[in-house]
Amino acid sequence: MHLFNNVSAGDKAIIEKHLDKVPVPVGALARELGLEVKLILLPPDISGEIRPSPTAPAGFRINVNRHEKKERQRFTIAHEIGHYLLHRSLIGDGVSDNVLYRSTLSNQQEVEANKVAAALLMPRPTVEALLNTHGGLRSKEVSDLIAEQLEVSSPAMRIRLGLQ
């Protein structure tokens, strides 16, 4: 879990508490981290954003485009959690991520937020356990079943399983 090396012990404990659930409840995880999560109308090219919030215990609110699919919304929440955990000092007045999860932050920071999102939504131990319930077979069909169980996109799960 080297992604989380610079994350506080308190935040790590909160994350660990949620990772063994299927699917990982990213909204509850965000709220327990002290983040507000709102489904709102955003421009079609914006998937989500994280902005300062005076009412959120942690001082930030995640806005998610309410018109996107549930799996996409879950990824957006997890991605913005990644920005909060790793880049909160860079958020400033807010960071908006377009549909390709690019923002004004560096490409490296976007890659890190994507890795956090994958680790939160598809924890390796959970993916391996689910894979074993399907005989350990890495196929498109099994990948699709696990993606459905974890409420992530099929392409994301195929990447996680090394099928793409």
Side-chain angles (χ1 to χ4, degrees):
M1 228 180 193
H2 69 285
L3 274 175
F4 302 119
N5 282 348
N6 294 327
V7 174
S8 74
D11 286 349
K12 281 182 189 173
I14 292 169
I15 292 167
E16 290 291 330
K17 197 167 76 173
H18 291 278
L19 287 186
D20 62 348
K21 298 175 181 145
V22 177
V24 172
V26 289
L29 170 60
R31 284 187 289 279
E32 197 165 337
L33 288 168
L35 303 166
E36 292 176 342
V37 177
K38 302 281 185 194
L39 294 179
I40 66 170
L41 181 62
L42 290 170
D45 60 332
I46 301 295
S47 291
E49 58 190 14
I50 185 165
R51 300 209 169 277
S53 169
T55 58
F60 293 96
R61 179 183 66 238
I62 295 171
N63 293 322
V64 179
N65 191 329
R66 71 178 185 193
H67 290 296
E68 293 193 333
K69 292 173 59 174
K70 181 179 181 179
E71 292 84 3
R72 183 93 178 178
Q73 291 174 347
R74 287 174 46 75
F75 186 87
T76 297
I77 294 168
H79 178 93
E80 301 305 342
I81 289 172
H83 282 314
Y84 168 74
L85 292 172
L86 304 178
H87 316 124
R88 75 180 80 165
S89 66
L90 305 172
I91 292 172
D93 291 338
V95 174
S96 296
D97 288 293
N98 68 19
V99 294
L100 297 175
Y101 292 98
R102 295 200 173 105
S103 70
T104 55
L105 295 178
S106 76
N107 194 41
Q108 178 62 34
Q109 290 157 342
E110 289 302 327
V111 168
E112 290 170 352
N114 283 341
K115 286 182 179 178
V116 168
L120 294 178
L121 295 171
M122 300 175 284
R124 288 216 181 270
T126 302
V127 169
E128 291 299 323
L130 292 171
L131 192 59
N132 287 336
T133 66
H134 297 288
L137 181 64
R138 291 176 189 262
S139 68
K140 180 184 178 309
E141 292 75 23
V142 169
S143 175
D144 288 348
L145 289 171
I146 296 172
E148 188 175 319
Q149 289 177 281
L150 293 178
E151 296 181 1
V152 299
S153 72
S154 292
M157 184 54 65
R158 285 195 291 274
I159 291 170
R160 192 65 158 173
L161 292 176
L163 297 173
Q164 285 189 336

